[in-house]
Amino acid sequence: MVASPDQEHPKKAIGWAARDTSGVLSPFNFSRRETGEKDVAFKVLYCGICHSDLHMVKNEWGSSTYPLVPGHEIVGVVTEFGSKVQNVKVGDRVGVGCMVGSCRSCDSCADHLENYCPKMILTYGSINFDGTMMYGGYSDIMVADEHFIVRIPENLPLDGAAPLLCAGITTYSPLRHFGLDKPGMHVGVVGLGGLGHMAVKFAKALGVKVTVISTSPKKKAEALERLHADSFLVSTDANEMQAAMGTMDGIIDTVSALHPLPPLIGLLKAHGKLVLVGAPEKPLELPAFSLIMGRKIVAGSVIGGMKETQEMIDFAAKHNITADIEVIPIDYLNTAMERLLKADVRYRFVIDIGNTLKASF
């Protein structure tokens, strides 16, 4: 007989879970594994709400298994560690991002790119090596292998640092990998949401000229004055787009809704790169001619390996980069999801797990 979620493992845990495609979340009792010799256990204090959480609770990508406890922007304080853990001690500030396991033996793992391992284990909604379901950070405790633990520097506030573990690394990694990190380069950022505002912050810290590209003229002041972007383009303004044709070395496209790619490709210089980090539900059209003329590239990128994720967090600490957040209590969760669907947040909801989770029961 299959054990119930609260009986699978020795450590009792509480969280909030979606039970079906309605996506409505409510209190949920489950369990975590015992802290193994290479494991780190920590008390969860904050967890960011990623746009992918919204897709997952509603099974919009067709891969969700219920009950589902979302959350992969998880930060807290170490409470216990195994006998073979080397770099973490009780009381340390740590986090877990989008993955908690990989095969550790394939070419990707050998290259510190566990995020591209074919056997990568996602932080929630996937099956662990022991056959049990993974539950995410909308919960009171977390247990993970030390290899997938990120150390959070003391000068970063935990609430503002939580979204760096997904939104941060998702935008930092392509800037680095595709060489869009050289001072004086011109990089466009499409969309000014949870991912987009992080792309702007990292690109500016790297010394890059940044242009925000948005369908909403209302975001111009925010982009230029608050986030210090160098310029702003309204993507629906044909004159503005025409004037900027062929001026950008690269573009980070963070938009998760269906949108046309050819106008963005037109903004690229010859040999320019358009990197997709948003995940629209339906396929995007990609006319070959727009790539051929100029030897341009359309690429994708997803999070980063553990070595690069730690590098990103340390870079953020050095440059005082955090996400712009709205901290919420756990019982506001369903309202927050409704607001996220309408893009009514600037720019990331973060759940105050430490102070509000148990009070909700």
Side-chain angles (χ1 to χ4, degrees):
M1 192 171 85
V2 177
S4 63
D6 62 338
Q7 299 293 324
E8 278 184 327
H9 300 292
K11 287 182 181 289
K12 300 301 180 187
I14 54 174
W16 277 47
R19 284 10 186 249
D20 54 44
T21 57
S22 70
V24 174
L25 294 122
S26 58
F28 175 63
N29 292 301
F30 66 106
S31 53
R32 299 280 190 197
R33 69 175 183 262
E34 211 45 273
T35 307
E37 60 183 14
K38 295 182 179 180
D39 284 341
V40 174
F42 64 94
K43 173 181 170 60
V44 178
L45 297 180
Y46 296 98
C47 185
I49 300 179
C50 177
H51 204 279
S52 60
D53 296 346
L54 185 58
H55 290 293
M56 286 296 288
V57 296
K58 294 176 178 289
N59 196 27
E60 290 176 345
W61 290 336
S63 61
S64 301
T65 302
Y66 301 100
L68 184 137
V69 177
H72 57 209
E73 300 178 345
I74 315 163
V75 293
V77 175
V78 175
T79 55
E80 188 180 24
F81 60 91
S83 59
K84 293 188 178 179
V85 168
Q86 297 179 329
N87 298 310
V88 170
K89 63 183 186 300
V90 171
D92 281 359
R93 294 147 43 94
V94 297
V96 164
C98 299
M99 58 181 169
V100 290
S102 68
C103 77
R104 311 286 290 278
S105 60
C106 68
D107 289 347
S108 290
C109 287
D111 289 338
H112 305 288
L113 294 169
E114 301 91 343
N115 51 315
Y116 297 117
C117 172
K119 295 182 179 178
M120 176 183 65
I121 296 175
L122 297 171
T123 301
Y124 72 86
S126 62
I127 303 297
N128 199 2
F129 292 125
D130 65 3
T132 60
M133 178 58 62
M134 298 302 303
Y135 297 112
Y138 296 8
S139 58
D140 61 339
I141 59 171
M142 192 73 196
V143 180
D145 187 295
E146 182 189 18
H147 186 79
F148 296 91
I149 293 284
V150 178
R151 297 177 303 283
I152 311 293
E154 288 294 330
N155 68 309
L156 283 180
L158 284 177
D159 52 1
L164 298 179
L165 296 169
C166 176
I169 188 60
T170 294
T171 51
Y172 179 89
S173 182
L175 287 168
R176 289 296 202 188
H177 177 77
F178 292 100
L180 303 175
D181 56 354
K182 311 295 187 292
M185 278 186 155
H186 185 190
V187 172
V189 174
V190 187
L192 198 59
L195 291 175
H197 90 290
M198 292 309 311
V200 174
K201 290 188 178 193
F202 279 122
K204 288 295 294 180
L206 290 164
V208 170
K209 177 186 175 184
V210 179
T211 295
V212 171
I213 305 160
S214 175
T215 57
S216 173
K218 296 177 182 177
K219 292 191 175 181
K220 182 173 183 176
E222 182 81 9
L224 300 180
E225 296 166 17
R226 183 182 174 106
L227 296 173
H228 308 295
D230 298 282
S231 54
F232 185 88
L233 282 178
V234 179
S235 58
T236 53
D237 187 316
N239 292 331
E240 282 191 21
M241 293 292 282
Q242 181 64 36
M245 290 273 283
T247 63
M248 299 181 188
D249 297 286
I251 296 173
I252 305 296
D253 185 348
T254 72
V255 175
S256 291
L258 203 61
H259 61 291
L261 296 184
L264 301 176
I265 295 169
L267 297 174
L268 294 171
K269 298 176 183 177
H271 325 296
K273 306 170 182 97
L274 170 60
V275 187
L276 309 180
V277 296
E281 293 171 46
K282 296 180 180 178
L284 300 170
E285 287 193 17
L286 183 61
F289 198 73
S290 61
L291 299 180
I292 293 168
M293 302 306 292
R295 194 161 67 178
K296 299 173 184 179
I297 293 170
V298 175
S301 183
V302 64
I303 55 171
M306 294 314 303
K307 182 179 179 181
E308 188 176 48
T309 301
Q310 188 64 58
E311 174 193 306
M312 176 275 304
I313 285 282
D314 294 340
F315 181 91
K318 181 179 178 181
H319 294 274
N320 294 309
I321 295 172
T322 56
D324 292 1
I325 61 171
E326 179 179 334
V327 178
I328 63 164
I330 191 81
D331 58 10
Y332 188 76
L333 188 48
N334 289 303
T335 303
M337 287 290 191
E338 291 171 8
R339 286 180 53 194
L340 181 58
L341 186 61
K342 302 172 188 171
D344 178 22
V345 57
R346 197 175 68 180
Y347 283 100
R348 206 64 151 191
F349 286 116
V350 172
I351 310 165
D352 182 352
I353 299 286
N355 290 314
T356 69
L357 176 57
K358 290 183 179 177
S360 299
F361 280 72

